[in-house]
Amino acid sequence: MVTMSGPVAERERDAAPGGTDLLTVGVEEEFLLADPHTGTAVPAVELVMEQVPAELRGQVEREFQTSQIEIGSPPGLELSSIRHSLGMLRAELADAAERAGVRLLAIGTGPVDGPVPPVVDKPRFDRMIERFRLLVPGPGNNGMHVHVGVPDPDTGVQVLNHVRPWLPILQAVTVNSPFARGEDTGYASWRSIEWERWPSVAPTPYLESHEHYQRLIRQLIASGVMLDEGMLYWYARLSAKYPTVEIRIGDVCPSVDDAVLVAALVRGLVATALTEIEAGRPAVNTDHHLLVAAHWRAAHDGLEGQGVDLHDGELRPAWELLDRLVDRLRPELDRHGDLDRVTDLLGGLRRHGSGAARQRAVFERTGKLVDVVADVARQTRG
């Protein structure tokens, strides 16, 4: 449901396959607004928007529910610029939330039980509620979406085919919602499970062409499972507004460092796909049901458990699969100047664990979800 702000559209690159040009990357993040004392989600988006500095309002948006708010970074070539933008936006938004009497949380869904906040008053959202009724699952599903520039839609469709087998391990990197309704769900990403209630949420199918992509959109709208192209909630898609591939698989990351790591890996994955396309190497047509299984396992285990190896369908330690992905992306990470930063950030992730593991560690120490909320707020601000 997130869109990128005007400057993003103006500054996206005309990508060229084959590795001659560097790819820009832009990040969108959704956050929960919570009561600072109880941790419950609160319908405070209008109060917070009033407190956002005027110069930043083009990069801060309302989301689907009144307990959510989102930011969009301008696209950039350097990870340092992405980090600066996200850090500045998070800090300013956290300040605005505090002035409005609430906390900003980079968390996949609300951990503390409470009333479900209403949907933002917007005609499109009203139509969604009218058609899909009780699919709104809880206090807010907060994700992270990464945009990477591609040269044209036909190439973009080929990129979607190439990246789809690697998205489950990226999902495992982002898991950040183990608690819901006041208890441990048993999943590392409960947001992923709730999000799948929507009928258009799915792994991206293997696509024959851009015309095939457009035909599927028309058919899905005609079927009634989508109101419009904006409801195409595949885990990777072409942006309807910008010349980008949009990877939209993950929970919002708890910290800026986590978000920068995911952005770098996504850019490396898209760049590697472009190189393979230019070399004439076909994408692997992974079975849809095996992909579904791999995504479920990623949501369940995160990085701290097992993942599905899509080469043979066997279970492997998730970190082994992530290391394999990083080795695959190494040439493009190096070409973009990201390899050293990614290596450092991966080291931090190994030491501290996923967002879900960090939340569980706090709860194990204190037994209080309000302490989990406080720690997430600290990480969000950075």
Side-chain angles (χ1 to χ4, degrees):
M1 296 176 203
V2 183
T3 56
M4 298 177 78
S5 56
V8 174
E10 296 168 6
R11 293 165 57 186
E12 273 297 349
R13 70 184 289 280
D14 290 326
T20 56
D21 293 326
L22 301 182
L23 306 181
T24 56
V25 60
V27 176
E28 301 164 339
E29 296 186 300
E30 300 162 355
F31 303 97
L32 189 72
L33 302 173
D35 185 289
H37 304 294
T38 66
T40 56
V42 290
V45 67
E46 296 303 331
L47 294 175
V48 176
M49 289 293 291
E50 291 173 2
Q51 298 296 325
V52 174
E55 65 272 17
L56 297 181
R57 289 180 184 170
Q59 293 174 273
V60 180
E61 302 268 349
R62 297 164 185 81
E63 233 293 319
F64 187 58
Q65 285 171 262
T66 52
S67 53
Q68 296 176 278
I69 197 164
E70 64 172 341
I71 61 172
S73 76
L77 291 172
E78 302 290 337
L79 286 187
S80 58
S81 68
I82 299 298
R83 193 189 193 292
H84 172 77
S85 294
L86 292 178
M88 180 268 296
L89 285 167
R90 282 183 175 223
E92 292 283 357
L93 195 54
D95 286 343
E98 289 180 10
R99 289 193 293 271
V102 297
R103 265 182 172 158
L104 185 75
L105 302 181
I107 195 168
T109 193
V112 179
D113 198 16
V116 176
V119 171
V120 168
D121 185 13
K122 185 176 180 181
R124 180 173 179 266
F125 293 165
D126 291 341
R127 292 196 303 274
M128 290 171 67
I129 293 299
E130 181 180 0
R131 179 173 298 181
F132 299 104
R133 307 296 291 181
L134 292 179
L135 289 188
V136 178
N141 271 220
N142 303 303
M144 172 190 184
H145 305 159
V146 182
H147 286 254
V148 181
V150 290
D152 56 74
D154 290 304
T155 303
V157 164
Q158 294 183 69
V159 168
L160 296 180
N161 287 341
H162 278 262
V163 304
R164 61 196 289 270
W166 299 98
L167 297 185
I169 191 58
L170 284 179
Q171 181 180 6
V173 173
T174 70
V175 293
N176 188 33
S177 51
F179 297 101
R181 300 179 184 90
E183 61 182 285
D184 193 319
T185 64
Y187 285 80
S189 173
W190 186 246
R191 180 206 66 89
S192 298
I193 303 303
E194 288 191 324
W195 183 230
E196 288 171 1
R197 290 184 178 190
W198 293 92
S200 55
V201 174
T204 309
Y206 194 90
L207 298 158
E208 299 166 5
S209 63
H210 185 233
E211 193 282 326
H212 181 207
Y213 180 91
Q214 292 177 309
R215 184 170 73 250
L216 282 174
I217 291 173
R218 293 193 299 270
Q219 291 169 336
L220 290 171
I221 292 172
S223 77
V225 302
M226 299 181 350
L227 292 180
D228 50 39
E229 187 172 351
M231 284 191 70
L232 186 71
Y233 299 143
W234 291 346
Y235 298 151
R237 68 183 187 184
L238 303 182
S239 170
K241 295 185 177 182
Y242 311 114
T244 64
V245 165
E246 181 184 1
I247 307 299
R248 40 187 299 113
I249 187 55
D251 290 359
V252 63
C253 291
S255 74
V256 171
D257 279 348
D258 297 317
V260 169
L261 172 62
V262 173
L265 293 175
V266 168
R267 175 164 65 178
L269 185 60
V270 172
T272 299
L274 288 169
T275 298
E276 291 177 336
I277 291 165
E278 186 177 74
R281 291 193 285 274
V284 176
N285 188 358
T286 303
D287 183 84
H288 170 78
H289 293 287
L290 190 59
L291 264 182
V292 170
H295 282 293
W296 177 86
R297 193 78 197 200
H300 186 273
D301 284 26
L303 276 180
E304 282 68 39
Q306 303 286 307
V308 177
D309 186 338
L310 289 171
H311 288 90
D312 58 14
E314 299 295 325
L315 289 178
R316 303 271 188 272
W319 266 103
E320 179 181 324
L321 300 178
L322 180 55
D323 288 338
R324 184 187 300 172
L325 172 62
V326 173
D327 285 343
R328 176 182 177 81
L329 306 186
R330 191 174 299 275
E332 287 298 335
L333 292 174
D334 188 40
R335 189 174 70 84
H336 282 82
D338 296 345
L339 185 57
D340 289 344
R341 175 62 62 87
V342 166
T343 301
D344 288 343
L345 293 175
L346 282 170
L349 189 61
R350 284 185 191 272
R351 290 190 300 274
H352 304 303
S354 67
R358 288 172 230 169
Q359 289 187 45
R360 283 172 166 150
V362 172
F363 188 75
E364 185 176 348
R365 288 196 305 271
T366 74
K368 297 178 180 179
L369 282 176
V370 291
D371 292 334
V372 173
V373 168
D375 190 68
V376 171
R378 177 189 59 80
Q379 293 182 72
T380 302
R381 179 182 286 279

